[in-house]
Amino acid sequence: MGEPGERGEDEFGRARRSAREAAGGAPVEGLLGVLTYFHPDGLTPGLLSRLPGLEGAVEALVRSGAVRRDPVSGAVRIPPRSARAVRDQDIADGTTVSRLDGLAGVISGMLDLRAVEPDGRSTVRPAALELARHALTLWNRSLEAAAGGQDGAVEPAGRAAVQAVTHLETAGEPERAVEVAGDVLAGCRRVLGDAHPVTLLAAGRLGALLLSAGRLTRAADLLAPVLEARSDPRDLARPELIALTHDLAFARAAAGQVAEAIPLYEKAFAASCALHGDGHPASLTVLGNLAEGYRATGDYGRAVPLLRQVLEERQQVLGDDHPDTLTAANNLVGAYSDLDGTAIPVSVFEKIHVSRARVLGPDHPSTLISQSNLASAHQRAGNLPVAIALMKQVLRLRRGTLGADHPDTLTVMSNLGAAYADAGKTLRGYRLCRKVVAGRSAALGVRHPDTLLAMNNLAQAHLAVGRVKAALALHARVLNDRHTLLGGDHLDTLASMNNLASALNRADHPADALPLHANALAGRRRILGPVHPDTLISLNNLAFTYQGLGETETARGLFEDALDAARRTLGPGHAITRRCETNLRQLSGQRN
């Protein structure tokens, strides 16, 4: 006995033939195949609008009675028995692979459902997630067909599955996305082989997901063997391999291996320019990250012009409020801030943060980065209550979305600890610094630049709470590691020289501090210039060291030079200016 309201198989066959005859060449069979994979929900009018050229097929099938249109929702559905008939005929006729191939192509096109709302905010429509689920079902069926000796549908189905993974991540299901991406990659390798473009696409997608999740080592371990197996430069002229090279470079840089990342960035940029042109968005993304690599090594002479170039081209092509333009602006301002943070007004950081919050939303990761940068700008300007409030808000959101041990969460925690220390809340800062060192050591390793920065901050916190011996030992360790990893002229290495020397002064060892302060001052003068705030701090500290050695006149001259430059460049109310005034007054035996 037939199911209520359904047609027998023969009657469906007649309706199917009638629809084909009436459709005038419209893809009736293709639409029927899609409907079998969207059973029992059917295709909504919104989804049908994403399938160009199917209007005639829809009307022919509805008029013939082969499918039904819901009078309320407008969704088009195929009855369950008819859906089975279509699939059974596919198997009998040996056309399953061709049908899967067509379906994969259709669904892959439909998956591009990300929309940009009028305010520029990127969203994922519910229909995209529905399609993503269907794409993954299709992927599993294509693997079943391949197991039976028919593997022709795996390539298009694999592409659709990779797109589905992207939608899972964007919709806030990152762990599910990583799991599915791993399954898709394993299937592609098994059926298509390691060198197939879809396999490379799947590897790149999984690698990018791992990077987003902070799993840097696993991402690099995945991507490096793929690229090492393709040493022929001609291979790199493929979008999949350019993306893989870029992602591996990003993984290396994020893991602190910047020297290994830069040649990969350079290779990816050259290949992207050859394939797309130097002004293409993909090429500009690689160029921006290459510039960030130069910045991380302290090579501002190369970093700043490239960051400026990326910003100008983004502004010209995309406009000032596009998310990619705002990222470029944030990176360029960050580089200028590295060189002289006090020269960048807080209002510049405020503008970037407001724009990102409006375009991307207040909780978007890029918005939170801008909020952290704004907080640091307030900290440099001495607005510590504002800085601490902003950092605490970012830390709460980072913990909620990424977890307490994610590298981005630990970065915010580190910044908050430093702000607490500046505000005189030494114990709060000390406790946070200890947590950051433990978290970064576990996640990144003890010699990662971010871990060394956390150790530097902890050493400073040791000093603040009176643990001078612990501070000396940790500062010496950080200086040694930074000198080995980054070189003697890197700004981080010079900062460690200054900090260790200051700790030695605190321990009443000025003779040991003198050469370190002298070297730090010389390096900062050479790289940052004679009136940069960090240079003036080094000049003041060197004077303090001579004072400790009893060389009063030498100390007086250096204090006067530092005070004169601070007044001229920073103003009479700046913290560095006040410190120089206090030291000179104490040297002269004056009292407030």
Side-chain angles (χ1 to χ4, degrees), residues 467-489:
R467 302 188 65 201
V468 179
K469 288 185 178 180
L472 286 172
L474 193 52
H475 270 316
R477 174 182 173 183
V478 173
L479 174 58
N480 181 68
D481 286 347
R482 280 178 164 175
H483 194 283
T484 301
L485 293 172
L486 304 174
D489 281 343

Side-chain angles (χ1 to χ4, degrees), residues 422-474:
D422 286 351
K425 301 177 180 180
T426 53
L427 287 179
R428 286 189 185 182
Y430 183 68
R431 286 193 292 266
L432 282 179
C433 286
R434 289 179 66 91
K435 288 181 180 179
V436 174
V437 169
R440 283 184 169 169
S441 297
L444 304 174
V446 294
R447 300 189 74 193
H448 188 282
D450 289 350
T451 307
L452 294 176
L453 175 60
M455 289 179 178
N456 173 81
N457 293 343
L458 177 58
Q460 293 293 84
H462 280 317
L463 275 182
V465 298
R467 302 188 65 201
V468 179
K469 288 185 178 180
L472 286 172
L474 193 52

Side-chain angles (χ1 to χ4, degrees), residues 491-534:
L491 292 178
D492 289 351
T493 306
L494 297 175
S496 283
M497 285 184 194
N498 175 81
N499 293 342
L500 175 57
S502 295
L504 287 166
N505 275 331
R506 177 81 172 269
D508 199 24
H509 298 301
D512 295 326
L514 182 63
L516 290 170
H517 271 317
N519 287 337
L521 174 60
R524 283 174 164 175
R525 274 178 170 162
R526 184 169 60 255
I527 297 170
L528 300 174
V531 295
H532 186 279
D534 288 350

Side-chain angles (χ1 to χ4, degrees), residues 223-508:
L223 298 172
V226 176
L227 289 172
E228 288 168 0
R230 278 149 203 86
S231 57
D232 189 335
R234 292 171 296 182
D235 280 348
L236 199 56
R238 295 160 58 180
E240 298 89 352
L241 282 169
I242 293 173
L244 281 172
T245 304
H246 172 265
D247 287 346
L248 178 58
F250 194 92
R252 295 293 191 211
Q257 301 164 358
V258 184
E260 296 179 28
I262 287 176
L264 291 168
Y265 278 136
E266 291 171 338
K267 186 184 296 185
F269 179 62
S272 186
C273 289
L275 186 65
H276 303 299
D278 57 7
H280 190 276
S283 301
L284 292 176
T285 296
V286 181
L287 184 60
N289 286 332
L290 171 60
E292 285 293 288
Y294 290 141
R295 176 184 168 192
T297 64
D299 190 351
Y300 291 92
R302 284 198 282 185
V304 170
L306 293 182
L307 290 170
R308 189 184 302 117
Q309 176 186 340
V310 172
L311 175 59
E312 290 171 353
E313 296 203 32
R314 295 285 199 203
Q315 288 172 326
Q316 182 177 355
V317 176
L318 303 175
D320 290 342
D321 281 347
H322 190 279
D324 291 347
T325 306
L326 294 173
T327 295
N330 180 78
N331 293 344
L332 179 59
V333 169
Y336 282 134
S337 180
D338 292 345
L339 293 171
D340 189 355
T342 59
I344 310 296
V346 172
S347 59
V348 173
F349 295 93
E350 180 78 40
K351 180 180 178 181
I352 294 174
H353 175 244
V354 169
S355 296
R356 274 183 159 172
R358 175 172 51 80
V359 173
L360 301 171
D363 298 345
H364 190 279
S366 295
T367 306
L368 295 180
I369 289 173
S370 292
Q371 186 170 333
S372 293
N373 293 342
L374 174 61
S376 296
H378 277 294
Q379 182 180 356
R380 287 190 295 271
N383 305 325
L384 293 173
V386 177
I388 288 172
L390 289 170
M391 290 177 186
K392 287 172 71 175
Q393 182 183 15
V394 175
L395 180 58
R396 176 178 56 81
L397 293 170
R398 289 292 200 197
R399 278 175 169 160
T401 57
L402 300 176
D405 295 330
H406 191 280
D408 292 347
T409 306
L410 295 172
T411 294
V412 181
M413 193 182 297
S414 176
N415 293 342
L416 180 58
Y420 276 140
D422 286 351
K425 301 177 180 180
T426 53
L427 287 179
R428 286 189 185 182
Y430 183 68
R431 286 193 292 266
L432 282 179
C433 286
R434 289 179 66 91
K435 288 181 180 179
V436 174
V437 169
R440 283 184 169 169
S441 297
L444 304 174
V446 294
R447 300 189 74 193
H448 188 282
D450 289 350
T451 307
L452 294 176
L453 175 60
M455 289 179 178
N456 173 81
N457 293 343
L458 177 58
Q460 293 293 84
H462 280 317
L463 275 182
V465 298
R467 302 188 65 201
V468 179
K469 288 185 178 180
L472 286 172
L474 193 52
H475 270 316
R477 174 182 173 183
V478 173
L479 174 58
N480 181 68
D481 286 347
R482 280 178 164 175
H483 194 283
T484 301
L485 293 172
L486 304 174
D489 281 343
H490 194 281
L491 292 178
D492 289 351
T493 306
L494 297 175
S496 283
M497 285 184 194
N498 175 81
N499 293 342
L500 175 57
S502 295
L504 287 166
N505 275 331
R506 177 81 172 269
D508 199 24

